[in-house]
Amino acid sequence: MPEPALQITQLTKRYDGGFLALDGLDLTIPDGAFFGLLGPNGAGKTTLISAVCNLIRVTGGELRVFGEDHRTWEARRLIGLAEQDVNLDRFLDVQETLLFHGGYYGMSRADARRRAKEMMDVFDLRAKAGVRAPMLSGGMRRRLLLARALMHEPRLVILDEPTAGVDFELRVELWRYIRRLHEGGTTILLTTHYLEEAEELCEEIALIRGGQLLARDSADNLRSAFDADTLAEVYVKAMAQAA
C-alpha cells in the first residue's frame, strides 16, 4: 500500500494564553485524494494547515507527509500551499515571484524558467509577467498564488480558501484547473466556506469544530448520516450538535 499523503496522529496545539486550537486530532488522507475540510472560523483549519507545513510548532502529536516527518526538508518539498491571505512580495513582479519560489525549492535556473513560463501560460499571467503584485487585480493575485504553490510540482497541494473574493467566472476557471491537477495524480486538501465548492470538487469531506473532527465521508453519505437534503443542512446540524 502506498504511504498516505497525510498521516496525522493525536495532533494538539495550545497557543500561549491557553487557547486549544487542535485537540488530539487524527486524520489520514490517502495518496491521490481530493479532500475537503469544512468548519467555521476558529475551528482549527488554519492551525492544522500551518502545522502540516511546519509554520508553527505543535504541542503534541505526529504528522507525516508521504511517510516523511513534516519537519524535514523532504516533506516540505512535497507540499504546495496556496494560502488564504494574499502574501505576495510587493517588490517582485509575476515572473520574479515564480523564479524566486523555484530557487527556494532547489530548482535549477533553466528548470525554474521553463516551469514559470508554463505556470504563466496555464493561469493566463504571461501578459502580466513584468507587473508587480500590488498592481495586479484581486483575481490575478489569486492566480499567482496558485501558480506559485504549484511551481515546484508538489505531490500534495493545500488550497486554503482558493476562490475567496473572486468572481464566478474565475472560480469556475480555477475549478477546471484544480480538477485537471487532481486527475494527474496530485493529492489536494481544500478548505472553503463555499459548501457548493466542496460538494462539486471533493471526493471526501471532513467537518471540524473546536479542533476536533465531527464527521468524515462523501457528500452523499454525509447527507444520509445526518438525514439532510443538502450539504448546507449537514453542516448546520453537525455544528449545532458540536456546540
Side-chain angles (χ1 to χ4, degrees):
M1 292 290 291
E3 292 280 2
L6 194 57
Q7 180 78 57
I8 299 173
T9 307
Q10 287 295 295
L11 183 62
T12 301
K13 174 59 180 179
R14 188 180 294 276
Y15 286 99
D16 294 343
F19 176 66
L20 185 62
L22 296 172
D23 186 9
L25 186 143
D26 292 322
L27 177 65
T28 300
I29 299 179
D31 184 7
F34 200 136
F35 194 88
L37 190 63
L38 306 181
N41 292 333
K45 302 188 301 297
T46 298
T47 298
L48 174 59
I49 289 171
S50 297
V52 170
C53 298
N54 198 32
L55 299 176
I56 60 172
R57 291 183 178 180
V58 301
T59 307
E62 183 181 46
L63 299 95
R64 304 194 75 82
V65 180
F66 295 101
E68 302 283 350
D69 186 293
H70 77 293
R71 294 165 294 190
T72 64
W73 177 245
E74 290 79 8
R76 291 169 65 188
R77 289 195 75 256
L78 293 167
I79 300 171
L81 171 62
E83 296 171 284
Q84 179 179 357
D85 295 329
V86 179
N87 61 348
L88 299 166
D89 191 316
R90 64 191 305 270
F91 297 107
L92 298 181
D93 62 34
V94 168
Q95 182 168 266
E96 290 168 343
T97 296
L98 298 177
L99 293 177
F100 184 85
H101 185 84
Y104 177 80
Y105 281 95
M107 298 178 72
S108 69
R109 186 182 297 258
D111 284 345
R113 289 190 177 279
R114 172 195 57 78
R115 181 65 172 171
K117 289 179 181 178
E118 181 182 338
M119 290 292 92
M120 287 189 290
D121 285 342
V122 165
F123 292 101
D124 197 22
L125 290 165
R126 182 66 75 93
K128 305 291 184 180
V131 178
R132 291 183 179 182
M135 304 303 295
L136 297 172
S137 68
M140 285 293 178
R141 289 189 204 126
R142 283 287 166 197
R143 293 172 192 256
L144 181 54
L145 282 173
L146 188 49
R148 185 182 66 179
L150 300 176
M151 180 69 186
H152 61 291
E153 301 184 78
R155 291 177 60 190
L156 169 62
V157 174
I158 300 175
L159 306 175
D160 190 8
E161 302 285 346
T163 61
V166 306
D167 61 38
F168 179 75
E169 288 184 1
L170 178 55
R171 182 175 300 162
V172 172
E173 185 180 334
L174 291 177
W175 285 4
R176 187 179 304 116
Y177 183 75
I178 292 167
R179 280 198 185 97
R180 290 206 307 270
L181 188 67
H182 176 241
E183 289 167 359
T186 302
T187 305
I188 297 177
L189 171 59
L190 170 73
T191 76
T192 179
H193 285 295
Y194 301 118
L195 300 184
E196 75 279 5
E197 184 168 71
E199 187 159 13
E200 181 76 20
L201 295 174
C202 299
E203 300 167 333
E204 198 172 8
I205 296 167
L207 304 176
I208 184 173
R209 179 167 181 155
Q212 296 182 322
L213 290 187
L214 308 179
R216 168 184 178 168
D217 215 321
S218 67
D220 285 343
N221 287 344
L222 285 172
R223 282 192 292 269
S224 177
F226 283 85
D227 191 24
D229 295 325
T230 66
L231 189 58
E233 190 178 347
V234 169
Y235 182 91
V236 170
K237 286 185 174 182
M239 296 305 150
Q241 289 176 12

